[in-house]
Amino acid sequence: ARRHPPSLSTARALLEGGQTPLDGLLRQAQLDGVSPLLDYYLRAQTWLPEAFAAGCHADYLATGLRNTLLLEALERALLQAADAGILVIVLKGAALLGSVYPALGLRPMDDLDLLIPHEQVQALRALLEADGYVPALPETHAGNILAFENELALRKPGRFGALLELHWNLIDSPFYQRRLALDWFWQTAQPLTVGRAATRALCPEAHMLHACAHLALHHTHAEGARLLWQHDIAEMLEAYGARLDWDLLLAKAQEYDLVLSLQNVLLPMLEPWRIAIPAPALARLQQLPASRAE
């Protein structure tokens, strides 16, 4: 509706004509993580069914409250990390809330994702465990997660229960853990502020590459990728605009064997999400060859 106003008229006609069943519509919006967005952008539309509109508004308020609490937990963890000299890049939803989304209630978060140098993970884990966090999943043998995985999940017990995921690589498959050197991601990270904590987030090109890889490689179509993750990418493209260096993005996609991730995520989004990619960059993206290894 925001990017293509005629779509709003189409949606209204479908609802008023009874062509869209309301049973389960709110639940599906919640599963896809977009009910707060629907409230924010459509709350002035008086033709929305009352129960659906009320449910979306309740989700917007609840998301804003939960995100406020999550960001407080993140601020505390970041301040502890800074005091200990531990490097951190904030990933995914928390980074998007600080750079792309205009309101705290728009982007639901289930957890907080941080990128940490591999050699500093144990130090941050010790700090967080001293602050009340416990491993979210048991290890079959001590040290297995750090040796063979790409993330460690820690949960703070209690009514609120913040979940922190410490990553030392951006993609969980063994192929990318071996191949994806993180030097460029760390060197190009940009400042981000979370409350009183000064931290960093990925640069626009790295952020776009990671978002597409995360959606393409961690959440296949068979698993039902959430609309929210596609919306993140559409919002990033709009927010970054001319700042996004497409030559650099495409070069890094080739270097890191992430060509198919970009193509399989961005190209199907062009029409339904009304996203704009500069014509020369789009032509190159469509023709970019994937390596045999990828």
Side-chain angles (χ1 to χ4, degrees):
R2 186 159 53 92
R3 292 186 178 87
H4 186 246
S7 296
L8 189 59
S9 300
T10 302
R12 179 174 183 174
L14 289 170
L15 284 174
E16 293 180 343
Q19 299 173 58
T20 299
L22 290 177
D23 293 343
L25 186 60
L26 176 61
R27 179 59 181 154
Q28 188 59 51
Q30 292 168 333
L31 289 172
D32 272 309
V34 297
S35 52
L37 286 159
L38 291 172
D39 171 66
Y40 189 79
Y41 290 113
L42 299 182
R43 67 178 60 152
Q45 307 300 322
T46 57
W47 48 269
L48 282 176
E50 183 175 350
F52 180 77
C56 289
H57 186 59
D59 289 342
Y60 173 79
L61 296 175
T63 299
L65 175 58
R66 175 162 177 79
N67 285 351
T68 298
L69 297 172
L70 279 171
L71 291 177
E72 287 178 356
L74 176 58
E75 176 192 28
R76 182 179 177 89
L78 290 172
L79 290 172
Q80 290 175 307
D83 287 344
I86 297 172
L87 302 176
V88 178
I89 291 177
V90 176
L91 301 172
K92 301 181 185 177
L96 291 169
L97 281 177
S99 61
V100 170
Y101 284 97
L104 275 181
L106 288 182
R107 209 284 183 185
M109 294 193 296
D110 297 320
D111 50 35
L112 299 162
D113 295 273
L114 307 177
L115 181 64
I116 314 290
H118 188 270
E119 63 274 13
Q120 293 188 315
V121 172
Q122 289 288 50
L124 184 55
R125 174 181 182 170
L127 287 174
L128 293 171
E129 288 182 340
D131 197 30
Y133 285 84
V134 296
L137 296 172
E139 284 187 286
T140 52
H141 298 284
N144 269 9
I145 290 178
L146 202 61
F148 300 111
E149 300 294 339
N150 80 311
E151 65 180 62
L152 170 69
L154 299 171
R155 182 182 298 279
K156 199 164 194 177
R159 184 178 179 185
F160 171 52
L163 178 65
L164 275 171
E165 293 190 351
L166 311 183
H167 300 256
W168 46 95
N169 207 305
L170 291 171
I171 302 174
D172 65 4
S173 79
F175 172 79
Y176 285 105
Q177 288 190 45
R178 292 191 300 268
R179 188 166 186 83
L180 192 64
L182 296 184
D183 295 358
W184 175 68
F185 293 90
W186 282 102
Q187 291 164 4
T188 58
Q190 299 184 345
L192 177 73
T193 301
V194 178
R196 295 171 294 126
T199 185
R200 289 183 288 180
L202 297 174
C203 74
E205 295 77 21
H207 206 165
M208 181 62 61
L209 195 61
H210 179 229
C212 290
H214 178 261
L215 183 51
L217 299 173
H218 293 179
H219 302 283
T220 64
H221 294 295
E223 293 170 341
R226 300 174 82 193
L227 286 176
L228 177 64
W229 297 325
Q230 291 188 0
H231 186 270
D232 286 343
I233 292 168
E235 288 292 279
M236 288 162 63
L237 286 169
E238 185 171 319
Y240 295 150
R243 290 192 296 137
L244 192 64
D245 185 337
W246 283 96
D247 290 338
L248 177 60
L249 175 59
L250 297 179
K252 289 299 178 180
Q254 284 190 297
E255 179 181 344
Y256 295 131
D257 280 330
L258 291 170
V259 171
L260 294 176
S261 290
L262 278 189
Q263 291 172 336
N264 292 341
V265 170
L266 291 180
L267 296 180
M269 286 181 59
L270 290 173
E271 176 60 25
W273 289 94
R274 311 287 172 171
I275 63 175
I277 296 177
L282 178 58
R284 283 191 58 204
L285 175 62
Q286 291 169 325
Q287 299 166 11
L288 207 61
S291 71
R292 287 177 60 86
E294 185 179 1

